[in-house]
Amino acid sequence: MRQLLLAIQPAPEATFDNFVPGANVELLARLRDVAGARSKEAVIYLWGDPGSGRTHLLRAAVRAAPDAGYVSAGSVLGAPEVRLLAVDDVERLADDEQVAVFRLINRARDGAGTVLAAGNVPPAQLALRDDLRSRLGWGLAYQVHPLTDADKALWLRAEAERRGLRLADDVVWYVLTHVRRDMPSLNAILEHLDRYSLERQRSVTLPLVRQALQELEG
Amino acid sequence: MQNLWHACLRRLEQELPAQQFNTWIRPLAAEQSAAGSDTLVLAAPNRFVLELVRERFAARIEKLAAEAAGRELGLRLVLARAAETPARPQPSAAAREVGDAPPAMERRRLNRAFSFESFVTGKANQLARAAAIQVAENPGISYNPLFIYGGVGLGKTHLLQAIGNYVAEHRPQARIRYTHAEQYVTDVVRAYQQKSFDEFKRYYHSLDLLLIDDIQFFSNKGRTQEEFFYAFNALVEAHKQIVITCDTYPKEIAGMEERLISRFGWGLTVAIEPPELEMRVAIVLKKAEAEAVALSEEIAFFIAKHIRSNVRELEGALKKVLAFARFTGRELSLDLAKEALRDILSVANRQVTVEGIQKTVAEYFKLKVSDMHSKKRSRNVARPRQVAMALAKDLTQMSLPEIGEAFGNRDHTTVLHACRTIATLRKQDQALNRDYLVLEQVLKG
């Protein structure tokens, strides 16, 4: 019989600690420094493919910093006045938002804090106003590198353990070959498996995973 | 000689566009010389004007002088003696009247790091720099306004602020305002909302030096343009200096009133071009020096060679290299610089898609893209298809079933088999391994 679950499990908060650095060790260290006010960079820009962890890092930095805020394309005009402002999805900024971010960067350059921006391409390739694009490339720019499959396997095991699940090697391998391997997708799958096994009071074995994934598709 | 020069001036005034005449010819002064002398001696206010006049107008002046004198005359250009520099203007009555904010308050907006000394000069910006120095030395007297235009990140703000810093240092009483055009727009809106236009006007009209950055932000802002028009007229009339920067030549600013555009051309318009390689190297070295880092020319050259767009990105790239060196605890070297900038420099850096992989692989093996989806199983088609599947697994985040679907609705086990086959073959077959690596390179850019 199925045990019904209330949908009350909150998505895990994005923190530096639950970010798997993979090839992003330097970036992670840099952001910890910036959030902890140990580094006075006026502009930091991250870029990477969807699912590579840009938003996670931005949110983690905002959580770790004492005076910080997060906005993304569409909500920039209401940006709070903070020491560390994260601006996500800059490639989608509207015209007036671009002017606003332009001004924010100028202010940051005058010593009034840090703008931590993220987009989908390196600064020079952003289709934004010239004066904003060049400003985003003014400070430190980092690519957020996706994890390797080996790193993802490690992460899957660790994250499952956090949820009280044990994943056998064959299960990890099956998941990594049968679903999209970006982090949000893997996270969603894990969430689904957790729920699925709990509802059925069964442990996460390969047959259960197959069944769960089939239901997800069907 | 004075009369003779006046005759020449009248002719030149007719021949030349007003801007050129006012900029280059009017500042020249004929030196006293012995009667019957056969040389006209003209004093230029600075080396910049002197060089330009010598290059562009000397021949014409000589000819006109000869006509006016009725005999051949030599022309000699000299620098005006320093003593002839006009006396410092006293603070205007308006300034004293307003007098609420001490000049120092206004100067806080100036960043002292932006000086003429820290400005790296090259062919691309030497005219602009010379004009800026000229204006800083003689505000309100030489070119008004000075209009500096050029692409982003080429040093316009640096020059603008350098003028402000220079004047602040040499004329402690001068009222100086540096403002970004965008801020000016905001101020106009605020003055409008708070009905404090009189105060706004009094303030701006009382300045000795107005530095306004990125005037293109006035585009389509009618009220702002009108206020600025009044401020402009008041300041120029009172011989107070205005310096403007912009991303384009005045005539090309969209959404700007004609009367403003024509006024922008009253003084001197100079361009800043993108820096050439030597200058970019010099800029990188200068920035490193400012960070108290000993950077080899080799590394500076590497950065300058690969970052061509603008000075800001040069600065960003240097920062990245220094941060990487500090983080890894390694010595600065060319290899380290390459490693630090690898991501930024991989030009393509595009997202790899399965369609891109299929197209690239098909072209590489001289197949049709449709072969990637077809049921053909002959080795010369099947092997490249397997390579493409393996690349899709390695370079995208797609699942095996998704990859199978993209390759003509194949089963995920087929994809898995392809990945394993290619992995094994790459260890045995050097040619295939090379093909794979080349394709990977092409796709990742």
Side-chain angles (χ1 to χ4, degrees):
Chain A
M1 91 155 233
R2 274 173 75 157
Q3 179 169 353
L4 292 173
L5 292 177
L6 290 171
I8 49 167
Q9 282 195 327
E13 289 267 19
T15 65
F16 287 136
D17 288 336
N18 64 19
F19 182 80
V20 189
N24 304 301
V25 179
E26 185 197 351
L27 167 59
L28 189 61
R30 168 69 50 187
L31 292 181
R32 281 182 192 274
D33 282 352
V34 168
R38 290 181 296 278
S39 165
K40 282 174 67 180
E41 296 297 335
V43 187
I44 298 183
Y45 176 77
L46 319 182
W47 83 91
D49 290 342
S52 57
R54 291 169 295 176
T55 301
H56 184 124
L57 286 170
L58 259 52
R59 290 206 177 271
V62 167
R63 262 179 73 85
D67 179 22
Y70 170 95
V71 292
S72 63
S75 68
V76 168
L77 296 184
E81 281 208 13
V82 286
R83 197 189 60 75
L84 173 70
L85 183 71
V87 184
D88 210 352
D89 302 324
V90 293
E91 74 277 7
R92 297 209 306 267
L93 291 175
D95 289 353
D96 49 353
E97 291 185 314
Q98 293 187 31
V99 174
V101 175
F102 171 90
R103 188 170 51 209
L104 287 165
I105 292 179
N106 286 346
R107 268 189 34 205
R109 293 274 310 180
D110 286 342
T114 300
V115 172
L116 171 59
N120 62 345
V121 287
Q125 291 172 37
L126 284 166
L128 299 172
R129 316 170 48 105
D130 286 345
D131 47 18
L132 177 58
R133 181 175 51 231
S134 65
R135 277 171 173 76
L136 288 168
W138 209 341
L140 290 168
Y142 289 94
Q143 180 172 13
V144 186
H145 291 279
L147 296 182
T148 62
D149 280 1
D151 283 329
K152 285 174 190 167
L154 282 177
W155 177 83
L156 272 175
R157 283 201 190 87
E159 183 59 18
E161 211 157 286
R162 196 184 65 80
R163 292 165 177 268
L165 299 174
R166 266 195 59 82
L167 299 187
D169 285 354
D170 59 346
V171 169
V172 170
W173 180 84
Y174 187 88
V175 168
L176 283 178
T177 48
H178 283 74
V179 303
R180 288 190 64 86
R181 287 161 294 147
D182 60 275
M183 298 308 283
S185 299
L186 290 178
N187 213 11
I189 287 299
L190 215 48
E191 177 87 34
H192 179 66
L193 290 178
D194 192 2
R195 186 176 289 260
Y196 198 84
S197 74
L198 201 56
E199 281 173 356
R200 283 162 186 73
Q201 303 283 316
R202 286 173 58 192
S203 56
V204 183
T205 57
L206 196 52
L208 181 94
V209 172
R210 284 207 178 107
Q211 201 183 331
L213 288 187
Q214 253 166 28
E215 244 176 65
L216 204 60
E217 281 159 17
Chain B
M1 280 296 168
Q2 297 290 340
N3 291 340
L4 183 129
W5 175 234
H6 279 296
C8 293
L9 273 179
R10 279 195 297 277
R11 289 286 302 275
L12 286 163
E13 193 167 11
Q14 287 160 10
E15 289 178 7
L16 295 171
Q19 185 196 330
Q20 284 194 15
F21 178 80
N22 287 331
T23 307
W24 309 115
I25 307 299
R26 201 186 282 286
L28 302 175
E31 302 248 305
Q32 297 291 349
S33 54
S37 160
D38 53 6
T39 306
L40 170 63
V41 182
L42 292 177
N46 57 47
R47 192 162 292 283
F48 177 51
V49 171
L50 186 141
E51 291 301 329
L52 204 130
V53 169
R54 176 176 291 154
E55 197 175 299
R56 290 189 19 203
F57 304 111
R60 184 64 192 152
I61 293 173
E62 220 165 305
K63 190 147 185 293
L64 289 175
E67 280 174 22
R71 61 192 163 98
E72 286 298 306
L73 276 184
L75 174 65
R76 197 154 64 85
L77 289 162
V78 298
L79 275 179
R81 282 185 296 276
E84 288 171 13
T85 321
R88 289 176 186 183
Q90 293 299 310
S92 68
R96 278 198 300 274
E97 201 174 288
V98 176
D100 44 10
M105 295 290 286
E106 288 309 319
R107 290 175 185 184
R108 280 195 320 206
R109 296 170 200 279
L110 292 169
N111 180 342
R112 296 188 61 84
F114 291 131
S115 64
F116 288 121
E117 290 72 34
S118 62
F119 189 77
V120 177
T121 318
K123 248 186 290 180
N125 61 18
Q126 60 192 10
L127 274 184
R129 178 175 177 273
I133 290 176
Q134 162 75 353
V135 160
E137 285 173 350
N138 304 295
I141 292 165
S142 40
Y143 320 116
N144 213 1
L146 175 61
F147 190 98
I148 304 170
Y149 74 97
V152 297
L154 300 181
K156 298 190 295 289
T157 299
H158 188 140
L159 271 188
L160 197 60
Q161 296 236 3
I163 295 172
N165 280 317
Y166 186 97
V167 174
E169 189 185 328
H170 290 81
R171 297 167 197 249
Q173 289 307 313
R175 293 173 62 85
I176 302 167
R177 166 80 174 188
Y178 166 85
T179 187
H180 191 271
E182 205 272 330
Q183 182 62 45
Y184 188 87
V185 175
T186 311
D187 291 349
V188 169
V189 172
R190 187 176 302 133
Y192 186 69
Q193 284 165 348
Q194 302 176 347
K195 303 197 175 15
S196 53
F197 260 125
D198 288 346
E199 206 180 305
F200 179 88
K201 277 201 173 84
R202 206 159 49 231
Y203 171 71
Y204 272 97
H205 296 194
S206 74
L207 295 171
D208 295 304
L209 174 60
L210 173 59
L211 307 162
I212 190 147
D213 213 351
D214 283 331
I215 199 113
Q216 71 272 12
F217 275 81
F218 281 8
S219 168
N220 297 319
K221 302 270 195 291
R223 187 70 215 234
T224 301
Q225 291 185 22
E226 192 179 336
E227 279 312 313
F228 186 69
F229 177 77
Y230 297 137
F232 186 102
N233 288 346
L235 291 176
V236 169
E237 200 157 304
H239 298 286
K240 302 303 168 60
Q241 182 70 46
I242 300 173
V243 187
I244 298 168
T245 71
C246 187
D247 63 353
T248 56
Y249 189 72
K251 288 214 168 21
E252 306 209 326
I253 314 173
M256 190 73 79
E257 284 182 34
E258 200 49 50
R259 57 181 182 170
L260 272 177
I261 290 181
S262 77
R263 274 167 176 74
F264 293 161
W266 276 4
L268 176 64
T269 301
V270 285
I272 299 188
E273 307 284 344
E276 71 276 22
L277 179 63
E278 293 75 17
M279 194 174 142
R280 295 202 300 276
V281 173
I283 290 168
V284 173
L285 289 171
K286 192 100 175 180
K287 300 263 182 215
E289 194 188 306
E291 301 264 332
V293 173
L295 193 76
S296 73
E297 290 221 2
E298 193 187 24
I299 299 175
F301 186 82
F302 173 79
I303 296 174
K305 184 159 167 267
H306 288 92
I307 309 277
R308 299 189 196 92
S309 46
N310 62 59
V311 178
R312 287 195 191 112
E313 277 160 33
L314 277 180
E315 197 176 335
L318 174 65
K319 268 191 177 174
K320 188 83 197 284
V321 171
L322 300 182
F324 186 65
R326 270 195 298 273
F327 178 75
T328 55
R330 284 162 56 188
E331 292 274 316
L332 283 170
S333 69
L334 186 58
D335 284 341
L336 175 128
K338 284 181 181 165
E339 212 177 317
L341 298 178
R342 194 179 44 208
D343 294 341
I344 290 181
L345 295 183
S346 65
V347 188
N349 233 314
R350 57 185 171 248
Q351 219 175 311
V352 183
T353 62
V354 71
E355 291 79 19
I357 293 172
Q358 291 172 334
K359 185 163 173 288
T360 308
V361 172
E363 276 167 11
Y364 185 83
F365 289 106
K366 301 193 171 46
L367 300 172
K368 292 193 285 279
V369 175
S370 61
D371 289 331
M372 292 287 137
H373 311 274
S374 75
K375 300 287 173 208
K376 279 188 217 158
R377 298 176 68 167
S378 58
R379 172 70 60 90
N380 66 332
V381 175
R383 189 70 81 222
R385 194 192 293 131
Q386 287 180 321
V387 168
M389 288 181 191
L391 283 165
K393 166 83 162 69
D394 281 357
L395 300 182
T396 76
Q397 305 288 321
M398 292 168 80
S399 66
L400 300 191
E402 282 175 313
I403 295 172
E405 198 174 321
F407 282 83
N409 273 323
R410 288 178 152 77
D411 192 75
H412 77 269
T413 51
T414 310
V415 182
L416 188 61
H417 176 71
C419 295
R420 286 183 174 151
T421 306
I422 296 302
T424 312
L425 280 177
R426 284 180 58 192
K427 290 187 191 122
Q428 300 159 359
D429 182 345
Q430 278 194 15
L432 182 107
N433 189 40
R434 204 190 49 235
D435 291 341
Y436 190 92
L437 292 173
V438 167
L439 282 163
E440 196 179 44
Q441 194 85 51
V442 168
L443 287 162
K444 279 162 78 175

